[in-house]
Amino acid sequence: METETTCNNLPNFVSSFVDTFVDFCVGGIFLPEPPSPPVFQTSFPSPERLIAIGDLHGDLLKSKQALRLAGLIDSNDRWSGGSSTLVQVGDVLDRGGQELKILYFLEKLKRQAVKSGGNVITMNGNHEIMNVDGDFRYVTLSGLEEFTNWADWFCIGNNMKSLCDGLEKPRDLYEGIPLSFPRVKQEYVKGFRSRIAALRPQGPVATRFLSKNLTVVVVGESVFVHGGILPDHVVYGLDRINEEVRDWISGLKEKVASSLVRGRNSLVWLRKFSNEVAKDCDCSMLEHVLSTIPGARRMIMGHTIQEAGINGACDNRAIRIDVGMSRGCINGLPEVLEINENSGVRMRILTANPNPNPMYHNNNHDSGGKESIGFFIPQQVEVEVEA
């Protein structure tokens, strides 16, 4: 006897269909089938080609320009980086209105890269932590609108699932969230509630995207962090840091130590090694930290805008890659860092700037793109910038 196909005997199919429908309505893309569950690790071996990209801050256009500059995506926005490894050092959120679209896009690239032997590593910046904490000081109106749109579609999806008897009834997205906030205009309340619902610990967006981020990662000889690492952090344990931050974001742990993610000396806020004023870069401290991390030769960080472009300090032991490319920051021209361990060029900058700082020395190697110019990492630039 034929079995009638109903919601009751196909609950997983129905749930997957609804999720795909919501994803397309919010992110504008169909995500490829996910690979096997990710293995959370803090250290990775040196890839043939390593690309590092700084803060993106809600600017999808600039994000794609940077990825295309590095040869990681093609004209159809598909992964074209082969076995390359990409590290994005955090601060996808705030200052722009396409935060969710970037999260979806990076997730798509993660899944595509794995199939080509590549890897996409995303990290927590201070703005990810702020949003999980409900600190929305740098949220834009368009950012609120994007999350309001997400919440509307998410609730539609939940309502569709609730019609299926074979599925567990979805939890109320706004459970426990106030209906009003002091000093918040009524027209912004829905956006605030939607953003809290999405990004609070165990929230759908926090769990799905941000909990997969690393807070510190070692790839070959390079240590990546959004702000910086101090000796106490190394003693605490890099694996332990990643685990505790991840568990807090996903709701498995009630809180996370402020010394790790909040305050001027935390991993996502530290500026000891990224201030563009030479005398403020603590080279002796940096050397001590690197000496305690096996195999580490350099620290690569974002967080502090480098108006002169990507540069190095402390004999290029500190590489600073936040160029403020988002239109919500200084609308800087995209630049990315390339590390190639298997050629004569170990590190170079790929930039869209047709007139790079004259102090930079062109290395005369083809950068692989019409707009890109490859050159060695310059030393400290004496430029005052706003912190």
Side-chain angles (χ1 to χ4, degrees):
M1 186 178 74
E2 291 187 7
T3 301
E4 183 182 358
T5 300
T6 67
C7 181
N8 287 336
N9 53 41
L10 284 177
N12 291 333
F13 173 80
V14 172
S15 180
S16 179
F17 172 81
V18 171
D19 289 341
T20 300
F21 167 74
V22 172
D23 284 347
F24 182 77
C25 293
V26 175
I29 57 178
F30 289 109
L31 291 174
E33 282 298 311
S36 56
V39 177
F40 292 103
Q41 59 190 89
T42 299
S43 297
F44 295 82
S46 295
E48 290 185 8
R49 184 170 184 255
L50 174 61
I51 297 292
I53 295 181
D55 307 28
L56 301 177
H57 281 305
D59 193 326
L60 181 62
L61 175 63
K62 289 293 192 71
S63 301
K64 290 183 178 181
Q65 288 176 352
L67 291 162
R68 198 163 283 120
L69 190 62
L72 296 181
I73 60 172
D74 60 21
S75 58
N76 295 315
D77 294 339
R78 292 185 57 83
W79 177 262
S80 59
S83 61
S84 299
T85 290
L86 163 66
V87 180
Q88 196 284 314
V89 296
D91 276 11
V92 165
L93 299 182
D94 288 340
R95 303 189 187 279
Q98 297 170 311
E99 304 154 277
L100 281 167
K101 284 186 169 59
I102 297 175
L103 291 176
Y104 270 99
F105 190 66
L106 290 174
E107 178 64 23
K108 183 187 81 166
L109 294 183
K110 284 183 182 183
R111 300 183 185 192
Q112 291 177 343
V114 167
K115 295 180 179 179
S116 301
N119 193 14
V120 174
I121 300 170
T122 54
M123 302 192 70
N124 288 310
N126 59 305
H127 285 265
E128 278 71 43
I129 301 302
M130 290 169 70
N131 276 268
V132 176
D133 271 336
D135 184 342
F136 300 153
R137 282 176 289 172
Y138 298 95
V139 173
T140 64
L141 179 58
S142 56
L144 290 179
E145 291 170 349
E146 189 187 31
F147 274 81
T148 298
N149 178 63
W150 165 84
D152 288 344
W153 283 113
F154 190 85
C155 289
I156 289 172
N158 276 356
N159 289 338
M160 293 170 68
K161 291 178 183 180
S162 68
L163 298 175
C164 179
D165 291 335
L167 290 174
E168 182 181 347
K169 297 302 179 186
R171 173 190 174 192
D172 177 13
L173 178 64
Y174 296 104
E175 183 181 328
I177 299 175
L179 294 172
S180 63
F181 305 92
R183 299 182 297 279
V184 174
K185 293 182 179 179
Q186 188 59 40
E187 60 262 38
Y188 302 144
V189 167
K190 186 175 181 181
F192 270 75
R193 297 186 79 229
S194 299
R195 200 169 178 105
I196 292 170
L199 294 170
R200 61 180 170 177
Q202 207 175 0
V205 173
T207 300
R208 186 176 187 187
F209 297 113
L210 304 189
S211 69
K212 298 178 183 178
N213 290 348
L214 296 173
T215 304
V216 58
V217 63
V218 181
V219 182
E221 299 175 339
S222 302
V223 182
F224 290 89
V225 64
H226 184 71
I229 304 172
L230 294 175
D232 287 349
H233 299 140
V234 181
V235 172
Y236 194 83
L238 305 187
D239 288 307
R240 183 181 175 190
I241 290 169
N242 282 331
E243 180 182 351
E244 291 188 5
V245 176
R246 180 178 71 243
D247 287 350
W248 167 64
I249 292 174
S250 60
L252 298 176
K253 187 179 177 69
E254 186 176 347
K255 58 184 179 180
V256 65
S258 291
S259 59
L260 302 181
V261 294
R262 304 179 193 92
R264 60 188 300 178
N265 288 325
S266 67
L267 287 93
V268 298
W269 281 97
L270 190 72
R271 298 187 195 270
K272 282 184 180 291
F273 315 126
S274 60
N275 197 310
E276 280 195 304
V277 180
K279 65 180 177 60
D280 290 341
C281 192
D282 193 336
C283 295
S284 60
M285 175 72 77
L286 175 67
E287 188 68 33
H288 174 62
V289 171
L290 291 175
S291 70
T292 62
I293 301 174
R297 296 188 60 185
R298 67 189 71 90
M299 188 181 298
I300 299 173
M301 66 214 84
H303 189 42
T304 304
I305 294 174
Q306 310 291 311
E307 290 191 354
I310 293 174
N311 64 83
C314 306
D315 294 326
N316 286 335
R317 303 276 268 171
I319 309 294
R320 296 84 65 78
I321 64 171
D322 177 14
V323 296
M325 71 176 83
S326 169
R327 285 165 289 184
C329 294
I330 64 171
N331 199 23
L333 290 168
E335 289 190 351
V336 302
L337 175 69
E338 178 191 66
I339 301 177
N340 192 328
E341 304 265 347
N342 297 324
S343 73
V345 181
R346 293 188 62 79
M347 290 193 293
R348 64 175 181 168
I349 300 164
L350 305 180
T351 180
N353 187 353
N355 299 300
N357 192 307
M359 76 169 287
Y360 296 171
H361 301 289
N362 197 313
N363 65 14
N364 295 319
H365 286 274
D366 181 13
S367 61
K370 292 183 179 178
E371 292 184 307
S372 347
I373 302 168
F375 44 84
F376 290 121
I377 304 295
Q379 272 293 295
Q380 183 75 39
V381 183
E382 289 282 356
V383 178
E384 290 279 358
V385 295
E386 208 175 294

